[in-house]
Amino acid sequence: MAQKKKTIQRNPTHIFSYIFQIDKDIRNGDYPNANKLNKEHGWNLSRSTFGRYINILRDDYGAPVEFDYQKNGYYYTDNTFFIQQVMLKEGELLTLSTILPLMEQYKNTPLEKSYRDLMEKLIQMLPETITVDSALINNEVHFISDPITTLEKGVFENVLKATKAHFTLQMEYKTAQNTDYEERRFDPYHMICQKGSWYVLGYSHHAQAIRLYAMPRIKNSKITKDKFSIPKDFKLEQHIDVQMGAWGNSGEKFKVEIEFVKGLKTYVMERTWHKGQTMKENPDGSVYLSFETNQLSQVVAWVMSFGGSARILGPKELKNRVGDAAREILKNN
């Protein structure tokens, strides 16, 4: 996206409101003047203030505005002119800029171009007196994201179309354990972006069960003419946990209980780790955290990221899995 150097117009927001209304009245053929505007809109503008607004229209916005002495009001010599009415405060312009790096998670998908095109349109809609430096965020703020996977060309489009229209997909798929691709027929129910990686949840004809497919492992995908219906008893929350992730779900819910050491108290307590969580500080300064999830395998990786600073209170299966993972790490190092 081309950079645009921006100068923020410092006039108060209410001035823009007046100017935009004057522009609207001119375009409506009302030939506004100060007295007419005060009467119609309940304003209390002096002639000098109204004249200043006309000058802003003419000088800052390039409006072809002229005074008609016969009708005692202003009009545009070019009937096609109008102000692109987008009012943004300086902080909102910064927010607009910060959206750009977030598009990293949509790399290798058509959504990246779509979002960037949308941002470009929003920027083009701004008045010429307000500009956005699209490189601003790259200089002053950074987002650290997880590694991004690569999708074969056409996979994202086909999965998205099949998901929206309820068409069965024909594809070749490779599991994490296999090196060879196998033919698969798949009914896509729901697409998920987990930490920069794309997945599709649906019914696998091969397994005859609900499965989660990693989209980077799909190739030669084709949309068939076969329609499918999502079962009425299908519930997305039974298969994923938007706080923990969407992988390795057995369908069973577990109550996770963790105790963090005193040194992590501030770090842990200033965050919301899971919707519906219970958190409290213990008398010794350690922190107790509990929540329910069906993604125990994801919790294993999360707990291990704290090293020895997190003690598992329950469930027992989580303790066993973390212990097994730790022993495997020691074995391989």
Side-chain angles (χ1 to χ4, degrees):
M1 186 182 294
Q3 293 185 13
K4 283 192 169 187
K5 300 276 183 181
K6 288 258 167 194
T7 303
I8 307 299
Q9 182 71 24
R10 297 292 181 182
N11 291 344
T13 301
H14 73 273
I15 293 179
F16 288 111
S17 298
Y18 286 135
I19 291 174
F20 290 154
Q21 185 61 56
I22 293 171
D23 166 71
K24 182 178 179 180
D25 287 359
I26 293 176
R27 287 186 288 107
N28 287 342
D30 295 338
Y31 291 86
N33 58 38
N35 292 334
K36 187 181 293 186
L37 288 169
N38 289 337
K39 182 178 180 180
E40 291 183 0
H41 302 296
W43 294 353
N44 188 27
L45 294 180
S46 65
R47 290 186 178 181
S48 61
T49 299
F50 174 74
R52 182 159 59 91
Y53 291 167
I54 291 295
N55 288 336
I56 291 175
L57 265 174
R58 181 183 293 115
D59 299 335
D60 292 355
Y61 289 91
V65 60
E66 297 290 344
F67 187 79
D68 188 310
Y69 289 93
Q70 290 185 343
K71 297 186 177 180
N72 191 30
Y74 285 86
Y75 71 101
Y76 288 150
T77 57
D78 180 357
N79 293 331
T80 64
F81 176 83
F82 70 96
I83 293 179
Q84 295 172 318
Q85 298 185 22
V86 178
M87 291 190 296
L88 295 177
K89 299 176 183 177
E90 185 172 1
E92 292 171 328
L93 291 174
L94 176 60
T95 301
L96 188 65
S97 296
T98 61
I99 294 174
L100 298 175
L102 298 180
M103 299 188 190
E104 287 295 313
Q105 65 182 309
Y106 297 108
K107 272 193 172 180
N108 305 312
T109 77
L111 289 181
E112 180 189 15
K113 183 179 185 304
S114 297
Y115 284 141
R116 291 191 181 277
D117 289 346
L118 177 59
M119 289 294 298
E120 180 66 29
K121 288 181 181 179
L122 288 174
I123 291 174
Q124 293 301 326
M125 287 172 63
L126 296 175
E128 288 301 317
T129 52
I130 301 180
T131 53
V132 175
D133 181 358
S134 62
L136 168 67
I137 193 63
N138 296 330
N139 298 328
E140 300 182 3
V141 181
H142 285 84
F143 291 83
I144 300 175
S145 61
D146 289 280
I148 298 171
T149 53
T150 301
L151 308 184
E152 181 183 84
K153 185 177 181 181
V155 167
F156 187 90
E157 297 94 323
N158 285 344
V159 173
L160 179 60
K161 290 177 183 177
T163 302
K164 292 178 70 67
H166 291 186
F167 280 109
T168 297
L169 282 168
Q170 182 76 35
M171 66 177 75
E172 293 180 45
Y173 187 72
K174 178 176 64 175
T175 65
Q177 294 76 28
N178 294 341
T179 56
D180 297 326
Y181 285 87
E182 297 180 352
E183 290 285 340
R184 292 283 191 271
R185 285 175 61 84
F186 191 80
D187 299 341
Y189 292 176
H190 198 85
M191 294 173 65
I192 302 158
C193 182
Q194 177 173 293
K195 299 178 180 179
S197 295
W198 284 93
Y199 301 88
V200 56
L201 180 72
Y203 180 78
S204 166
H205 291 243
H206 174 77
Q208 295 187 0
I210 301 295
R211 290 290 185 266
L212 188 72
Y213 278 10
M215 289 171 59
R217 300 178 196 151
I218 297 174
K219 73 174 186 178
N220 297 330
S221 61
K222 296 178 182 178
I223 301 175
T224 72
K225 296 181 179 180
D226 300 328
K227 293 277 287 185
F228 67 85
S229 297
I230 298 177
K232 293 182 179 179
D233 60 352
F234 172 80
K235 294 181 180 179
L236 182 64
E237 62 271 17
Q238 293 179 349
H239 300 276
I240 71 171
D241 182 335
V242 293
Q243 274 79 37
M244 281 293 117
W247 198 255
N249 174 25
S250 66
E252 182 181 357
K253 267 198 172 184
F254 297 88
K255 182 179 180 181
V256 173
E257 297 180 282
I258 308 292
E259 185 179 83
F260 297 92
V261 297
K262 180 180 178 179
L264 285 181
K265 180 180 72 174
T266 300
Y267 176 81
V268 172
M269 297 194 73
E270 67 187 2
R271 288 165 168 77
T272 299
W273 298 98
H274 200 281
K275 184 175 68 174
Q277 70 181 28
T278 297
M279 184 187 296
K280 65 180 180 180
E281 180 181 353
N282 297 322
D284 63 354
S286 61
V287 178
Y288 169 85
L289 173 68
S290 70
F291 55 85
E292 288 190 348
T293 182
N294 57 13
Q295 294 289 326
L296 211 58
S297 61
Q298 296 294 318
V299 178
V300 171
W302 174 70
V303 169
M304 293 189 71
S305 69
F306 292 98
S309 298
R311 184 165 70 94
I312 302 169
L313 303 179
K316 185 177 180 180
E317 184 173 346
L318 178 60
K319 285 186 177 183
N320 294 338
R321 289 196 190 187
V322 170
D324 291 343
R327 283 187 287 273
E328 194 68 22
I329 291 174
L330 291 174
K331 177 183 175 181
N332 295 326
N333 288 277

